[in-house]
Amino acid sequence: MRKLIQNGIAVAAALLLTVGCSETDIEYIFPKDYLPAYPESYWIYSDGTTTKVSPGYRKHRYFDELESTERSDEVYVPYMAPHYVYGYKVTQNDNRYPLKKLLSEVNGETWKIGDWLNGTVHRKVIDKDVALTLSSPILNTEEQVFDSVIVVIEYIKETDTTYPWKLKEYYAPFVGLIRQDIRRNNDSLIAKELVRYYIAEKN
Amino acid sequence: MVFNAIHWDFDPEIFSIFGHGVRYYGLMFALSFIFGYIIMKQYFVHDKLQESLLEKLSMYVFVGTLIGARLGHCLFYQPEYYLSQPWEILFIWEGGLASHGASIGIPVALYLYAKKINVPFLWIIDRVVIVVALAGFFVRMGNFFNSEIYGIATDLPWGVVFERTGETVPKHPTQFYEALSYLLIFAILHPYFLKIRDKQKNGQIFGIFLILLFSARFFIEFIKEEQVKFEEGMALNMGQWLSIPFILSGIGLLYYVNNKRKIKTKKA
C-alpha cells in the first residue's frame, strides 16, 4: 500500500512537471493597434450590436490549411465570441481558410479569405490614411473625427470578373472597427457606426 | 453581383442580467423541455403511470443532457483548455454545449432510470426519442438564432448571409434544414406511436428514429463545412461515416423486434 502511494505521488509530480513545462512554452498572440482586442474590451455599434472580448487569453489551435491533419501550435489568444483573434486575423467557419485576415497596414495589399462557388472572396486595403468623421460623437469619449484610418473592402472575384465590394470597413488606431458599410440585395447599403467603446489595459 | 439571399443579423441575446446575456438558444433549450414534458405526460397518462415517475424521468434526462452536452463540448472541442482549468466546465452560462455529448448523456441517464423504476430500457427509449426529435428542432433553431454551424456557400435564393459572424456571401442554413428534418421526424413518429402503441414492440420506434435521424444527418452533411482537414477529398466525411452504423443499427433493431419470436423459436 505504501509503495502504491509513493508511486502515485511520483506520477502526480511528473504530471505536474510536464504540465508546468508545457505551460511556459505557449506563446501569447497580443492584439495589434488597429484591432486592440484586449481581454474585456468592447465595442457597441449604432445597429445595437455589441462585440465583447472575453476576460483573459484562451488557449487555441486550429487545423492548418496546408497540412492535412496537422494542427497549428497552441497559443494564447483573445476570444471575441465567436472568433479567436490572431493579431489582424480571426478564426472563421471555413476549414479551408481557418483564419480570416481582417486588415493589413500595407496600402493596396490584397488577400484571399475564402471560396465562393466558381470564384474566391478577397479583401483589400484601399486606403490607410483617411480622416473619417462619424455621424455622431462616441458616447463615452466624445470623439467624432478619427485620423490615420485604414479602409478595407471585401469582394468576390471570378475568373475574369471582379464584383463591386460587399463590405467596406474602417479601422482606427487604438480603437478598432469604427464604421462598416454592408451592400445587401438590390445594392442597398447598410451602415453601422461605433457609438461606445472601451479598450482594456494592455496586459 | 446581386445575391437573392436572406441577410441574417439577428441579436442572439434576449436581455442581460448582471452582465450575463440570456439568449434565444437558452429559451429554445427550455422550450424543448416544456413541450417534451407535455407530450411525455400524455404517454404516461395513457400507460397509467404516476406523474412522479415522469418528474423523475425529466430530472434524469435534464441532468443527462446537461452533463453530456457540456462534457461533450469541453472534452471533444477544447480538451486542452478545459483540462487545464476544469472548474470552467461548470461555467455553462458562458456557452458551449455539444449535441453528440447529449446523445451519450441521455441514453446513459435513461438506462439508469429504466433500472431504477424497473422497466425495459427499449420501452422508455421508444417514448423519449419522439420528444428528442422535437428537442432537436428547438436546439437547431437555437443554433440558427446564434448564427452558428451553417453550411457551405450557395447561390440558392434561400441562402443566408450570416452577418453577425462577418459573412458577406450566402451560405446553406444547415441548422434550419436540420431543424425542419427533426420536426418532420417528430411529425412522423408521434402519430405513428399513438396509432400502434397498444400493440407496439419495444425498440420499434427507436429503430425508425435511428434510421430517419441519421439518414437526415447523412444527407445534410453533403452541404456542411468539413469538420476536419483530413476529410478533404474523401467521398464521405466523418459525420457521414459515423451515421452509417447508426442507420444499420436501426435497420437491425427493426428486423430483430419484428422477427424476435421467429429468432427465439429457431434457437430453441
Side-chain angles (χ1 to χ4, degrees):
Chain A
M1 186 64 185
R2 199 175 160 187
K3 201 169 183 182
L4 189 72
I5 293 168
Q6 279 173 346
N7 286 341
I9 292 169
V11 170
L15 277 172
L16 276 173
L17 275 174
T18 316
V19 171
C21 291
S22 61
E23 284 289 311
T24 53
D25 292 342
I26 299 173
E27 187 193 346
Y28 277 79
I29 308 261
F30 293 106
K32 291 184 171 182
D33 291 350
Y34 281 84
L35 190 62
Y38 292 97
E40 299 190 57
S41 302
Y42 67 81
W43 299 262
I44 300 172
Y45 295 93
S46 53
D47 65 345
T49 55
T50 302
T51 306
K52 281 185 238 176
V53 186
S54 298
Y57 288 81
R58 292 198 181 183
K59 268 189 205 171
H60 186 253
R61 66 201 305 194
Y62 55 88
F63 282 99
D64 209 311
E65 185 195 349
L66 302 171
E67 301 290 334
S68 58
T69 53
E70 286 294 310
R71 295 221 284 174
S72 65
D73 289 337
E74 191 170 56
V75 287
Y76 279 111
V77 286
Y79 180 63
M80 193 167 69
H83 310 289
Y84 291 91
V85 185
Y86 287 72
Y88 288 150
K89 296 175 182 172
V90 294
T91 49
Q92 65 172 347
N93 183 53
D94 186 336
N95 286 306
R96 285 185 189 82
Y97 304 90
L99 293 184
K100 175 181 183 175
K101 186 173 167 182
L102 295 176
L103 73 147
S104 154
E105 292 183 33
V106 180
N107 197 12
E109 189 182 338
T110 307
W111 62 95
K112 194 156 82 169
I113 56 160
D115 292 330
W116 159 253
L117 302 178
N118 300 316
T120 44
V121 188
H122 293 258
R123 279 192 162 223
K124 183 182 181 180
V125 177
I126 57 166
D127 213 325
K128 64 162 286 190
D129 197 15
V130 171
L132 182 78
T133 307
L134 297 181
S135 50
S136 52
I138 302 284
L139 291 172
N140 57 330
T141 63
E142 293 299 316
E143 295 163 279
Q144 193 166 12
V145 182
F146 293 87
D147 294 317
S148 307
V149 170
I150 290 178
V151 187
V152 184
I153 55 167
E154 188 171 315
Y155 58 95
I156 290 170
K157 199 174 169 184
E158 287 179 349
T159 319
D160 300 318
T161 322
T162 298
Y163 293 96
W165 58 263
K166 298 285 296 171
L167 186 76
K168 189 188 271 186
E169 291 181 330
Y170 301 80
Y171 291 88
F174 313 110
V175 180
L177 180 67
I178 55 169
R179 183 185 161 98
Q180 190 179 53
D181 297 331
I182 304 166
R183 197 193 302 274
R184 286 189 174 169
N185 300 348
N186 309 316
D187 276 2
S188 64
L189 277 181
I190 306 281
K192 69 175 191 184
E193 288 188 345
L194 189 64
V195 292
R196 190 184 185 91
Y197 75 96
Y198 166 71
I199 306 298
E201 295 281 320
K202 297 180 183 180
N203 55 30
Chain B
M1 178 185 273
V2 177
F3 297 127
N4 261 333
I6 299 156
H7 286 260
W8 187 244
D9 184 23
F10 191 83
D11 186 354
E13 220 169 88
I14 311 170
F15 56 85
S16 179
I17 306 172
F18 306 120
H20 295 293
V22 176
R23 290 175 164 238
Y24 285 94
Y25 183 86
L27 176 69
M28 293 291 115
F29 212 83
L31 283 178
S32 70
F33 269 91
I34 294 166
F35 282 103
Y37 190 92
I38 294 167
I39 293 162
M40 284 302 290
K41 193 174 173 183
Q42 288 178 12
Y43 300 163
F44 271 50
V45 167
H46 180 270
D47 290 331
K48 296 182 175 59
L49 291 170
Q50 291 169 351
E51 197 170 346
S52 61
L53 290 177
L54 177 57
E55 283 160 12
K56 195 175 272 181
L57 173 66
S58 307
M59 196 47 72
Y60 271 76
V61 173
F62 181 75
V63 173
T65 306
L66 209 61
I67 293 176
R70 183 62 181 166
L71 286 180
H73 170 79
C74 299
L75 302 179
F76 298 160
Y77 289 101
Q78 292 178 293
E80 302 94 339
Y81 179 79
Y82 284 103
L83 289 176
S84 63
Q85 37 219 333
W87 58 90
E88 285 201 17
I89 293 175
L90 301 172
F91 297 175
I92 288 174
W93 56 88
E94 287 190 354
L97 298 169
S99 60
H100 23 295
S103 65
I104 297 170
I106 293 174
V108 170
L110 289 180
Y111 177 78
L112 295 174
Y113 176 78
K115 280 265 177 206
K116 179 92 179 166
I117 70 157
N118 203 22
V119 292
F121 172 63
L122 286 175
W123 180 88
I124 188 66
I125 206 163
D126 266 346
R127 283 147 182 80
V128 169
V129 290
I130 300 171
V131 297
V132 163
L134 187 64
F137 162 76
F138 283 113
V139 170
R140 285 291 176 253
M141 286 308 293
N143 294 135
F144 187 68
F145 290 128
N146 270 352
S147 297
E148 62 193 7
I149 49 171
Y150 43 83
I152 56 172
T154 176
D155 57 356
L156 289 167
W158 59 84
V160 176
V161 181
F162 291 96
E163 290 180 356
R164 288 261 160 180
T165 51
E167 295 287 351
T168 53
V169 294
K171 302 276 174 95
H172 277 289
T174 45
Q175 337 86 322
F176 198 64
Y177 300 162
E178 271 193 63
L180 290 183
S181 314
Y182 298 156
L183 189 62
L184 184 66
I185 292 169
F186 169 76
I188 293 168
L189 291 184
H190 178 63
Y192 181 64
F193 172 72
L194 295 184
K195 194 176 161 192
I196 64 155
R197 64 179 163 190
D198 292 327
K199 51 183 189 309
Q200 179 232 349
K201 297 161 186 162
N202 288 341
Q204 209 174 351
I205 297 292
F206 184 43
I208 300 170
F209 170 82
L210 286 175
I211 296 167
L212 293 179
L213 185 109
F214 285 97
S215 298
R217 288 199 73 154
F218 182 88
F219 288 111
I220 292 169
E221 286 290 332
F222 280 112
I223 47 170
K224 267 191 174 175
E225 270 293 333
E226 284 141 359
Q227 296 292 309
V228 282
K229 285 301 289 180
F230 66 79
E231 290 177 344
E232 247 184 26
M234 283 166 66
L236 299 177
N237 68 24
M238 191 49 65
Q240 288 170 317
W241 282 115
L242 289 174
S243 296
I244 293 171
F246 286 101
I247 297 169
L248 293 177
S249 305
I251 295 169
L253 185 60
L254 276 187
Y255 179 82
Y256 174 74
V257 295
N258 287 321
N259 297 281
K260 204 170 164 184
R261 200 165 292 167
K262 285 181 210 165
I263 292 167
K264 277 187 179 168
T265 318
K266 268 186 189 172
K267 274 185 185 168

